[in-house]
Amino acid sequence: MKPVNVGICGLGTVGSGTFNVLNRNNATINRRTGREVRITHVGTRRDHPNCDLSGVKVSRDIFDVVNDPDVQILVELIGGTDTALELVMAAIAKGKHVVTANKALIAQCGNEIFKAAEDKGVTVAFESSVAGGIPIIKALREGLVANEVDWLAGIINGTGNFILTEMQEKGREFNEVLQEAQDLGYAEADPTFDVEGIDAAHKLTILASIAYGVPLQFESVYTEGISLVTPEDVRYAEELGYRIKHLGIARRGTEGVEMRVHPTLVPESRLLANVNGVLNAVLVHGDAVGSTMYYGPGAGSEATASSVIADIVDVSREVDSRHAVPHLGNHQWAEGLTVVPMASVETSYYLRMQVTDEIGVMARIANILSDSGINIEAIIQKEPEPGDDTVPLILLTQRVLEREMNAAIDELEGQTAVIGKVTRIRVEQLGGE
C-alpha cells in the first residue's frame, strides 16, 4: 500500500511526543498499519530541542501544512478554538483527514466540524482529546457498542485529582497544593479550566455524546469546581467512609441525560475512589457488560502521543476509503433524548454547616430537612473548641431532587443558628445499579 504523509501543526508537549514516538517506533507502527506512516511536514513557531527535524519540511506558518498537497493527514496540536477551528476546517475543505487532541475544539465546535467532514468524506479523529493515553473513546464507540450505557463517571482532570489527593493524604490546604501543582507544571498559571471543572466539562461533553447519541452540548453541562473544598470536608468524608473526587458524570434517566461535573463523595471501597495523583480513570456501566473501568495517565507528552498516533494509524488504514465508524459513534441522534436540568437531578448529599452551640438547633435543622422531604442518613456533630460558641455539623442525606435540596439550603441559611453558607457536596455510590 502507498505511504501516508502526515503533517503536524504544533510542536509543544504533545506535538514533540507524537513526532518522537512515531519516528522511534516507526517499524512497529508501519507493520501494524500495513503501510508506511511518515511525517513529511511540521508547522511550528519554533523548533523543539528534543526533535530532530532533519529530512522534514518545517514551516513557521501552520497553514503552509494545510496547503501542502502531499499531506494527507493533518494533526492539529496547537490548542485553543479560534485558529484551531480555522485550521481544521481548511484542512477538511481540502479533503484532508484530521487528528486532534483538542477537547475544547471538539466539545464546542464538533457538531460543525463533523458535519463538514461527513460532507467532504474525510475523518476527524480525537481519541487523545479525553483522558490522554487512555483509549476511552474507542472503548465507548466500538468496544461497548452493544450496550445501553446506564451511566459513566470519570476522573478526567489530573490537576484536580492531584490537588484532592494531596488534601486527602496530607491534610493540606487547597491553595497550598494548587501552588505546588503550578510549580510542578500540572496546572497553568491561570488554573481556572482545571480547578473550576471547565476542562472536565469539555471531556464529559464528548463522552456523553458518544454514550447516548446526543449532539455535543457543552453549554448544558452543570459545572462546579473544587476551590471551596476544605481539609475539614476531606476529613469528615473519610469519617463517613467516603473520599472526595472531582467527577464528570453522565447518566441516562427517565427524563433524559444528566451531564454534570462537581466534587463528589465516593465510597472509599470503590476503585474510582482509589485513583490518586495525576492519573485519570473512567468507570462505565453498560446494561450487558456491567461495570468496566479505564485507568491510566490523562496527560503527558508520550502518553497522549500514544493516543494521537493510534488515531493516525486508524485514519491511515481508512485513507483510501470512507471511514466506517461514525465520528461520535452514532449514524443518527437518539430521538427525544434531552439533557436533564440540574434542578431535576436526584442524588444524595453531604452537608456541612457551622451552627450555634445551643439546645434545640439540631432538632430545628432536622425539621427543616424533614419538611422538605429529605431524610438524614448519618450525622457527625463535633464538640466546640475552647472559647467557641459554634460547632461544625455534618449531615449525609438520602437521595433527593436538587431543587428540593436547593430550597432546604436556602431555608437553613436563613436560620440565625446557622452561621454563614452551607457547604454541599453531592454523593454517588457508583455501584452496579
Side-chain angles (χ1 to χ4, degrees):
M1 299 176 71
K2 291 181 180 180
V4 171
N5 296 329
V6 177
I8 296 178
C9 293
L11 207 62
T13 300
V14 178
S16 61
T18 299
F19 183 91
N20 288 329
V21 173
L22 203 154
N23 283 307
R24 185 177 73 227
N25 297 341
N26 192 247
T28 298
I29 291 167
N30 291 345
R31 185 179 72 249
R32 291 171 174 169
T33 308
R35 67 200 312 167
E36 182 183 1
V37 179
R38 59 193 185 189
I39 300 170
T40 59
H41 200 159
V42 172
T44 177
R45 287 181 294 180
R46 61 186 69 87
D47 294 348
H48 195 286
N50 297 329
C51 296
D52 179 6
L53 297 174
S54 59
V56 176
K57 186 176 181 179
V58 179
S59 297
R60 299 308 177 201
D61 184 347
I62 56 175
F63 285 90
D64 289 348
V65 183
V66 175
N67 294 323
D68 184 340
D70 293 330
V71 169
Q72 297 160 282
I73 302 174
L74 182 124
V75 182
E76 181 277 306
L77 300 172
I78 65 171
T81 52
D82 295 334
T83 302
L85 178 61
E86 185 182 354
L87 185 76
V88 166
M89 295 300 281
I92 292 170
K94 289 182 177 293
K96 300 182 190 300
H97 302 283
V98 174
V99 171
T100 179
N102 194 331
K103 64 267 186 181
L105 180 68
I106 297 299
Q108 295 177 220
C109 311
N111 295 325
E112 174 188 357
I113 290 169
F114 297 144
K115 175 64 167 61
E118 289 289 337
D119 291 345
K120 200 67 179 179
V122 298
T123 297
V124 177
F126 51 96
E127 179 65 66
S128 53
S129 66
V130 179
I134 305 170
I136 181 59
I137 288 174
K138 183 175 285 290
L140 266 179
R141 195 171 61 182
E142 300 172 42
L144 299 176
V145 70
N147 288 260
E148 292 284 354
V149 175
D150 300 317
W151 54 264
L152 62 86
I155 297 169
I156 44 182
N157 181 273
T159 301
N161 200 42
F162 171 79
I163 292 171
L164 289 175
T165 298
E166 288 291 302
M167 293 176 71
Q168 185 253 317
E169 292 182 348
K170 301 175 184 176
R172 301 172 67 188
E173 295 282 348
F174 171 84
N175 287 329
E176 176 192 352
V177 185
L178 173 59
Q179 182 61 60
E180 181 180 345
Q182 291 171 316
D183 294 342
L184 292 171
Y186 297 153
E188 301 291 339
D190 180 358
T192 303
F193 266 51
D194 291 325
V195 301
E196 297 304 334
I198 300 168
D199 176 78
H202 284 141
K203 297 168 183 174
L204 183 70
T205 299
I206 298 168
L207 295 179
S209 180
I210 296 169
Y212 299 110
V214 295
L216 295 157
Q217 298 172 68
F218 169 68
E219 68 283 353
S220 297
V221 180
Y222 173 83
T223 307
E224 184 180 313
I226 60 171
S227 56
L228 298 180
V229 176
T230 68
E232 290 75 23
D233 292 320
V234 174
R235 188 170 66 251
Y236 296 143
E238 283 192 297
E239 287 187 39
L240 292 163
Y242 292 84
R243 291 182 181 169
I244 299 177
K245 293 295 181 182
H246 199 198
L247 297 187
I249 299 170
R251 186 189 300 271
R252 181 168 182 169
T254 55
E255 293 189 31
V257 175
E258 300 171 14
M259 295 195 298
R260 46 194 171 99
V261 173
H262 51 69
T264 311
L265 266 69
V266 181
E268 61 186 4
S269 61
R270 301 287 188 228
L271 286 172
L272 207 57
N274 294 281
V275 174
N276 294 322
V278 295
L279 292 169
N280 281 197
V282 181
L283 184 63
V284 182
H285 191 275
D287 69 327
V289 73
S291 292
T292 58
M293 194 169 89
Y294 307 84
Y295 165 87
S301 178
E302 295 202 353
T304 307
S306 173
S307 289
V308 172
I309 295 168
D311 275 343
I312 293 172
V313 168
D314 273 355
V315 175
S316 296
R317 289 168 174 160
E318 302 282 348
V319 80
D320 298 320
S321 61
R322 182 78 175 195
H323 188 54
V325 181
H327 289 104
L328 292 168
N330 294 268
H331 284 285
Q332 295 92 30
W333 298 131
E335 292 185 10
L337 194 57
T338 59
V339 177
V340 176
M342 193 62 194
S344 298
V345 169
E346 184 181 74
T347 188
S348 304
Y349 294 86
Y350 159 100
L351 303 177
R352 175 176 58 82
M353 62 199 84
Q354 199 74 13
V355 301
T356 56
D357 182 29
E358 57 186 72
I359 295 173
V361 170
M362 183 62 229
R364 293 202 299 275
I365 290 171
N367 285 336
I368 289 171
L369 294 175
S370 177
D371 291 345
S372 300
I374 300 170
N375 295 320
I376 298 172
E377 180 102 352
I379 299 172
I380 297 176
Q381 188 168 9
K382 298 293 184 179
E383 293 295 321
E385 296 292 330
D388 197 351
D389 59 357
T390 67
V391 293
L393 177 65
I394 298 90
L395 305 173
L396 205 61
T397 78
Q398 293 183 357
R399 294 175 66 86
V400 63
L401 288 174
E402 178 95 358
R403 69 169 68 92
E404 294 171 355
M405 180 55 73
N406 290 342
I409 288 176
D410 286 344
E411 189 170 353
L412 287 170
E413 291 177 345
Q415 301 294 306
T416 57
V418 176
I419 311 302
K421 295 289 186 180
V422 175
T423 294
R424 170 246 308 270
I425 303 177
R426 296 162 190 86
V427 181
E428 292 290 337
Q429 297 300 324
L430 302 180
E433 75 270 12

